[in-house]
């Protein structure tokens, strides 16, 4: 593991960042990791984990100080997502979803909106991002949710599906189409809906292959009245907000996938050293060494690329959409590959719940699907080379 640890040590965290990461790791070891198996088996929402995350103030690290936050680097945020996700993927995506849903409010909201809404997230509130619909998955322009202006209010009509934190969020970033604009792209708009709005309902909670502790819900908006003061930007500016927010949330889900890949890699190393077959440790067999070498090399590349993307986000260059797609694509593909090999490495035990290998494999699959399927990301990256 010296090779891997050398790459991690090159991050050169400052004293404050190291202290935060030490606290996060302690919290994960004492609270989140011991609960992970129970959460997966029961499907219970991990409120104790959320409380532990809030006790460390981790929601504050992406919120400006004037709105109750303690802002830190995006690079640190990504590392925290990975540490939590390595122990429990469900908890990792619950935490990351707060960022995905609320970062557009930070980036595009007015001072009044941020001062009114962000403190409740800084104090431990939950956020959600509502984009996907039955007819609008990879093609967000196909959404049918309507925003109808009505004086000082906006009436929201429609339905969303596959919404993480859908039944527990305090604030929802909702995308829909402005009723007075005909163009399907120019009509897309964004607003913040607050918990408890009349006409808002949770239709169902999905039963999933993995991430069983994370709520994934279908939502309905039956003439929900939202104050026009909660509109982000102007009517029709939603697509630009959506694309900009995805550029920052995609590296976040890459960090989540990285955490799952790290867990599988560590489990393979530990099992390969401890398990004896034919009088030799599993890792003494050359074929297994080759497999682990290839996976280690890919993990190291993902680690370094995510560092690079984090530096772009923390910098002044806002043109990092393709780099974000590469991060999401490679990290999620590696998570699936790593966990599949981890199950195989464990043999029959890998298929049983005696080890967490099978849980990691189930949790890894969705990382190739959400935040843009990997087919979409390959298309985005591939067509960037087409001469015009």
């Amino acid at each position: 593991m010296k090779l891997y640890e050398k790459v991690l040590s090159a991050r050169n965290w400052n004293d404050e960042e190291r202290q935060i990461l030490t606290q996060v790791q302690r919290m994960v070891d004492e609270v989140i990791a011991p609960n992970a198996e129970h959460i997966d088996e029961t499907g219970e929402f991990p409120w104790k984990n959320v409380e532990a995350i809030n006790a460390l103030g981790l929601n504050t690290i992406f919120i400006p100080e004037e709105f109750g936050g303690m802002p830190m680097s995006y690079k640190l945020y990504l590392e925290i997502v990975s540490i939590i996700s390595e122990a429990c993927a469900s908890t990792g995506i619950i935490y990351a979803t707060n960022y995905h849903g609320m970062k557009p409010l930070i980036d595009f909201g007015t001072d009044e909106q941020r001062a009114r809404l962000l403190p409740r997230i800084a104090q431990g509130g939950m956020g959600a991002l509502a984009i996907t619909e039955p007819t609008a998955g990879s093609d967000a322009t196909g959404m049918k949710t309507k925003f109808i202006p009505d004086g000082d209010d906006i009436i929201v009509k429609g339905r969303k599906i596959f919404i993480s934190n859908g039944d527990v969020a305090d604030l929802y970033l909702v995308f829909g189409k402005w009723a007075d604009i005909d163009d399907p792209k120019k009509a897309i708009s964004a607003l913040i809906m607050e918990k408890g709005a009349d006409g808002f309902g949770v239709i169902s909670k999905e039963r999933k292959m993995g991430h069983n502790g994370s709520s994934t819900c279908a939502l309905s908006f039956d003439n929900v009245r939202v104050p026009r003061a909660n509109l982000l930007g102007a009517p029709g500016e939603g697509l630009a907000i959506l694309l900009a927010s995805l550029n920052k949330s995609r590296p976040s889900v890459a960090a989540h996938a990285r955490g799952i890949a790290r867990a599988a890699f560590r489990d393979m190393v530990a099992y390969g050293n401890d398990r004896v077959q034919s009088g030799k440790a599993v890792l003494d067999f050359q074929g297994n060494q080759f497999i682990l070498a290839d996976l280690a090399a890919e993990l190291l590349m993902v680690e370094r690329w995510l560092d690079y993307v984090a530096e772009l986000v923390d910098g002044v260059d806002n043109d990092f959409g393709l780099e974000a797609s590469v991060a999401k694509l490679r990290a999620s593909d590696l998570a699936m590959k790593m966990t599949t090999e981890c199950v195989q490495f464990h043999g029959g035990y890998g298929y049983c719940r005696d080890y967490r290998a099978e849980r990691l494999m189930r949790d890894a699959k969705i990382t190739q699907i959400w935040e843009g399927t990997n087919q979409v990301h390959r298309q985005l990256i591939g067509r960037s080379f087409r001469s015009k």
Side-chain angles (χ1 to χ4, degrees), residues 84 99 137 140 145 230:
I84 295 173
Y99 177 91
T145 295
N230 284 21

Side-chain angles (χ1 to χ4, degrees), residues 111-139:
D111 285 344
E112 185 279 329
Q113 289 171 332
R114 291 184 289 176
R116 176 163 51 88
L117 299 170
L118 285 176
R120 76 179 76 176
I121 300 298
Q123 293 162 12
M126 307 282 286
L129 176 62
I131 302 174
T132 305
E133 300 183 8
T135 59
S138 296
D139 178 17

Side-chain angles (χ1 to χ4, degrees), residues 16-34 49 52-59 61 70 76-87 91 95 262:
E16 184 178 14
E17 290 170 332
R18 277 195 295 270
Q19 184 178 12
I20 291 172
L21 291 174
T22 297
Q23 292 173 337
V24 171
Q25 189 63 63
R26 183 182 300 116
M27 178 266 295
V28 163
D29 292 342
E30 294 178 355
V31 179
I32 294 180
N49 294 354
I53 288 170
N54 290 338
L56 287 183
L58 297 184
N59 277 357
I61 68 168
M70 184 188 70
L76 182 74
Y77 160 74
L78 293 184
E79 182 64 19
I80 291 171
V81 170
S82 293
I83 292 173
I84 295 173
S85 301
E86 181 177 344
T91 306
Y95 171 64
R262 283 179 180 176

Side-chain angles (χ1 to χ4, degrees), residues 176-213:
K177 290 183 176 176
W178 199 259
D180 294 341
I181 301 176
D182 293 330
D183 187 288
K185 290 185 178 180
K186 295 179 180 178
I188 295 175
S189 305
L191 57 76
I192 299 292
M193 191 195 75
E194 301 174 58
K195 182 180 181 179
D198 290 339
F200 168 72
V202 177
I203 301 172
S204 62
K205 180 178 175 181
E206 304 295 341
R207 298 174 64 237
K208 309 187 297 289
M209 176 189 295
H211 285 80
N212 292 328

Side-chain angles (χ1 to χ4, degrees), residues 311-326:
E311 290 167 3
L312 294 178
V313 176
D314 283 327
V316 296
D317 184 3
N318 291 321
D319 184 16
F320 47 78
L322 289 174
E323 290 86 349
S325 284
V326 171

Side-chain angles (χ1 to χ4, degrees), residues 136-206:
S138 296
D139 178 17
T141 61
M143 66 178 65
K144 298 184 182 299
T145 295
K146 286 290 185 184
F147 292 169
I148 304 168
D150 185 29
D152 292 335
D153 291 336
I154 299 168
I155 299 174
V156 182
K157 293 183 179 181
R159 181 184 175 193
K160 298 290 183 181
I161 60 171
F162 303 148
I163 307 305
S164 297
N165 291 359
D167 60 341
V168 296
D170 297 281
L171 297 177
Y172 297 79
L173 174 59
V174 184
F175 286 87
K177 290 183 176 176
W178 199 259
D180 294 341
I181 301 176
D182 293 330
D183 187 288
K185 290 185 178 180
K186 295 179 180 178
I188 295 175
S189 305
L191 57 76
I192 299 292
M193 191 195 75
E194 301 174 58
K195 182 180 181 179
D198 290 339
F200 168 72
V202 177
I203 301 172
S204 62
K205 180 178 175 181
E206 304 295 341

